[in-house]
Amino acid sequence: MSQKHETHLVYLNGDFVPADEAKISIFDAAVMLGDTVTESTRTFAHKPFKLQEHIARLYKSLKVTRIDPGMTAAEMFDLSLQVLEKNLPKVSSEMDVWLVHNISRGLFVAGADPTKQRSQATIIIHTAPMILRDWARFYIEGCHAVTPFSRAVPPEALDARIKNRSRMAYTLAEAEVKLVDPQAQSILLDIHGNVAENKGGNFFIYADGVLKTPHARSALAGISRATVLELAANLGIPTQVTDFQPYDIYTADEAFFTSTPYCIMPATRFNGLPVGDGTVGTISKRLLQAWSELVGVDIVAQGLSFLS
């Protein structure tokens, strides 16, 4: 896929600056504490997908973490569109982009109360080309899903519905599954042995004629997850939000991940064993086709174009 190579502009605390000039203090709460909430949206044919939903979830995270962004959700939405408007001309028409929000508590001062917001929040909104190369072959072959040794952070410690940038637990889990297979995609279990989530997405299985996904208890309530549930309803595919364990993945007919960049990533192996017959299944294909029709972009073809 051809692409332009122009520097994108970043919104940073009231200014639009070239990406290579965007800087924050080393004493920002994002650096000192990982005290940052985040959202990642993508475009299809240069149109943002469910941006309102992403902004709404961002403001829920901000409320629960007690970070004051200094602007309303409507203002954040309009500002996000401005960032897109400035940067979309910098990529080719067939290329889509990420739209990423990172908002921290602002400057951190060492002391007895790390929760006190001592400055305006640090607001960063940036775009980047949606490079799908690392995931593309999984549309055709399916990926290898692997459970790491580490467990998902329990909701009693940190509610998974707060989308945050403190990603150490997920990074360590990814390192563990890469010991099994350098291309493995992680499925974290909760402390009770139930399937939770991936480092950046949700998980589904199709078994006994029902499409199943875990509760949003130890997993982020993903917007891609919600989209799949909506598409399944439109296609007449029964769905269930429920607990399930590794046994249920081993014995499922199909399995797949959902996340913003790739939408649906089929999993055709689980911990070394084939899922179903070991090929990308019919339900996964139907849902990908329905999503493509919803957004007016052939999602699989767009991904595969990065391999040419």
Side-chain angles (χ1 to χ4, degrees):
M1 175 180 283
S2 63
Q3 55 182 292
K4 301 178 183 179
H5 296 279
E6 296 184 48
T7 300
H8 286 218
L9 294 176
V10 174
Y11 174 86
L12 176 58
N13 287 350
D15 295 316
F16 289 93
V17 296
D20 56 0
E21 297 177 18
K23 298 177 175 62
I24 64 172
S25 170
I26 63 169
F27 301 108
D28 195 278
V31 179
M32 300 296 288
L33 300 174
D35 185 8
T36 310
V37 297
T38 187
E39 280 294 328
S40 293
T41 310
R42 66 158 290 173
T43 64
F44 289 102
H46 286 197
K47 296 177 182 177
F49 182 65
K50 295 193 173 183
L51 180 57
Q52 290 276 17
E53 288 89 335
H54 280 280
I55 296 296
R57 187 172 65 182
L58 175 67
Y59 271 73
K60 289 178 181 177
S61 296
L62 288 166
K63 180 178 182 179
V64 177
T65 56
R66 297 168 172 80
I67 296 174
D68 178 9
M71 67 177 71
T72 67
E75 291 169 332
M76 184 71 74
F77 180 84
D78 291 341
L79 185 57
S80 303
L81 294 181
Q82 290 181 45
V83 175
L84 275 175
E85 183 180 358
K86 290 178 182 296
N87 288 319
L88 282 172
K90 302 175 187 294
V91 299
S92 57
S93 59
E94 69 269 23
M95 172 75 73
D96 278 300
V97 301
W98 298 87
L99 174 66
V100 179
H101 296 75
N102 287 313
I103 302 176
S104 85
R105 206 174 301 274
L107 290 178
F108 170 75
V109 178
D113 187 0
T115 70
K116 187 174 182 179
Q117 191 163 325
R118 301 173 187 273
S119 70
Q120 69 176 22
T122 299
I123 299 179
I124 306 166
I125 309 173
H126 76 270
T127 60
M130 179 64 64
I131 307 297
L132 298 166
R133 185 175 300 109
D134 289 346
W135 297 291
R137 69 183 181 89
F138 298 139
Y139 288 121
I140 304 302
E141 302 172 11
C143 70
H144 184 191
V146 173
T147 49
F149 317 126
S150 299
R151 295 298 176 97
V153 176
E156 292 83 357
L158 179 64
D159 196 305
R161 290 171 291 185
I162 302 171
K163 191 170 174 64
N164 65 86
R165 275 292 175 210
S166 304
R167 312 304 287 177
M168 182 63 79
Y170 298 94
T171 301
L172 292 177
E174 281 294 294
E176 291 166 5
V177 303
K178 263 51 175 181
L179 295 174
V180 176
D181 179 345
Q183 299 298 317
Q185 306 297 305
S186 62
I187 301 178
L188 284 86
L189 306 180
D190 68 17
I191 59 174
H192 304 293
N194 298 314
V195 173
E197 62 180 347
N198 170 255
K199 65 177 176 60
N202 295 109
F203 193 70
F204 285 77
I205 59 172
Y206 182 71
D208 302 320
V210 180
L211 187 65
K212 303 176 184 181
T213 194
H215 292 283
R217 181 171 54 227
S218 297
L220 182 72
I223 290 170
S224 298
R225 170 182 179 269
T227 301
V228 164
L229 292 172
E230 293 164 7
L231 293 172
N234 293 338
L235 293 170
I237 301 170
T239 61
Q240 185 179 16
V241 177
T242 185
D243 290 330
F244 57 86
Q245 294 78 40
Y247 175 91
D248 300 294
I249 305 175
Y250 288 123
T251 58
D253 298 310
E254 296 185 38
F256 58 81
F257 296 89
T258 60
S259 189
T260 291
Y262 52 75
C263 304
I264 293 173
M265 178 171 63
T268 51
R269 283 193 297 155
F270 176 57
N271 288 342
L273 294 179
V275 177
D277 65 3
T279 64
V280 176
T282 302
I283 296 298
S284 302
K285 292 177 180 177
R286 287 179 65 194
L287 288 165
L288 274 165
Q289 180 61 34
W291 200 326
S292 296
E293 292 171 0
L294 175 67
V295 297
V297 171
D298 187 328
I299 293 169
V300 175
Q302 185 183 57
L304 293 178
S305 68
F306 286 92
L307 300 181
S308 61

